[in-house]
Amino acid sequence: MKSQKFYSLWLSAIMIFIFGLQNLPGIPGFTDLFILNQKALTNFEVWRYVSSIFLHGSITHLAFNLFALFFFGLVLEKTIGTKRFMITFFATGIIANIISVNFYNSSLGASGAIYGVIGAVTILRPMMMVFSFGAIIPMFLAAIVYVTADILRAFGAFGPTNIGSIAHLSGIAIGFLIGIYYRNKFRERKNQKIEVKFDENSMQNWENNFMK
C-alpha cells in the first residue's frame, strides 16, 4: 500500500475555495453555471455532474460535509489507498448525481460522494466505532440509521425538506458495491500463496558441485 496522501483534505480545501467564489459579489451567476439542474439533460451540460459536487448552499451545509469527508475520507484512503479513494469519491458522486437529476429540479453538494465513501467504509470497516446520533456505535449500525432516515425522508416522513435523500441513498448503495469489490479483492490477495519453483537441472548441478 502506498503512503497516504490525504486527498480528502485537498478535496475539502477545494470545496472551501469554491464556496468562497460562490459568495463573492463580483462573480454573479457562478453557482448557476455549475449547479446540477435539468440543463445537464436537456443541453448536455455534463460538467454539472462533477462541478455540483464542489458547490454548497450554506456554511452549515459545507461544514457538515467537510466534517464527514475529513473523518470517513481519511479512513477510506488509509484502508484502500489514495487512487482507489479518489475513484470511489468521484464515481459515487457522479452516479448519485446522474440518478438524482431525475428527481430534483436542481441540487448541489458533495453528499452523494460522501455517502459513497461512507458506504465503502461500512463494508470494509463494519466494526469501527464512530460517534453518531449522540452515541458511540459500530459503523454498520450508523449506516443502517443513515439509510433508514433517508428512506423515511424520501417518502416525506419528516415533512418538506431540501435534503437530497435520493442522492444520499444512491451514493451509499454504490459505495456498498465498491466496498464489497475491494473487500473481495484484498481477501483474494491475502489468500494467495506464493508458489516457489526450482529448476531441477540447476539443483542437480549445485548438488554435483557442492555436495560431493
Side-chain angles (χ1 to χ4, degrees):
M1 187 76 68
K2 294 183 179 180
S3 60
Q4 189 171 2
K5 297 180 180 178
F6 302 100
Y7 270 34
S8 59
L9 300 182
W10 286 105
L11 291 171
S12 298
I14 293 171
M15 291 177 192
I16 293 171
F17 175 74
I18 291 179
F19 184 73
L21 294 179
Q22 286 182 255
N23 291 276
L24 282 178
I27 312 181
F30 180 86
T31 300
D32 292 337
L33 182 61
F34 296 107
I35 196 172
L36 180 65
N37 55 28
Q38 296 304 307
K39 290 182 180 179
L41 295 174
T42 58
N43 296 353
F44 203 63
E45 296 179 359
V46 294
W47 68 83
R48 295 178 183 272
Y49 294 116
V50 179
S51 61
S52 61
I53 294 173
F54 295 93
L55 300 175
H56 288 84
S58 67
I59 189 66
T60 303
H61 185 201
L62 175 65
F64 276 115
N65 277 353
L66 290 180
F67 175 79
L69 179 59
F70 173 78
F71 179 74
F72 295 111
L74 289 179
V75 171
L76 185 62
E77 185 178 356
K78 184 177 181 180
T79 303
I80 66 176
T82 297
K83 182 178 179 180
R84 296 185 182 96
F85 162 72
M86 293 294 285
I87 291 173
T88 301
F89 179 85
F90 281 105
T92 55
I94 292 170
I95 294 174
N97 281 343
I98 290 173
I99 294 172
S100 63
V101 75
N102 296 286
F103 294 87
Y104 307 117
N105 291 327
S106 63
S107 62
L108 75 175
S111 300
I114 292 171
Y115 266 71
V117 171
I118 290 173
V121 171
T122 300
I123 299 299
L124 296 168
R125 302 283 300 276
M127 298 307 298
M128 179 181 72
M129 303 305 290
V130 296
F131 183 80
S132 184
F133 301 99
I136 298 176
I137 58 178
M139 185 68 216
F140 81 91
L141 186 57
I144 291 174
V145 176
Y146 297 152
V147 170
T148 302
D150 273 307
I151 291 174
L152 293 174
R153 189 181 293 113
F155 283 98
F158 304 124
T161 176
N162 60 354
I163 297 176
S165 296
I166 300 297
H168 293 180
L169 294 170
S170 302
I172 202 169
I174 302 301
F176 287 152
L177 295 177
I178 292 175
I180 292 170
Y181 169 76
Y182 284 131
R183 184 189 63 184
N184 294 338
K185 186 174 183 179
F186 294 152
R187 186 176 294 170
E188 288 174 3
R189 286 184 180 180
K190 187 176 181 180
N191 293 335
Q192 283 179 347
K193 294 182 179 179
I194 301 175
E195 185 178 1
V196 180
K197 295 183 178 180
F198 295 98
D199 181 72
E200 293 183 6
N201 292 330
S202 298
M203 288 297 295
Q204 187 64 46
N205 291 334
W206 184 83
E207 289 179 357
N208 292 335
N209 293 327
F210 297 100
M211 299 299 290
K212 292 183 179 180

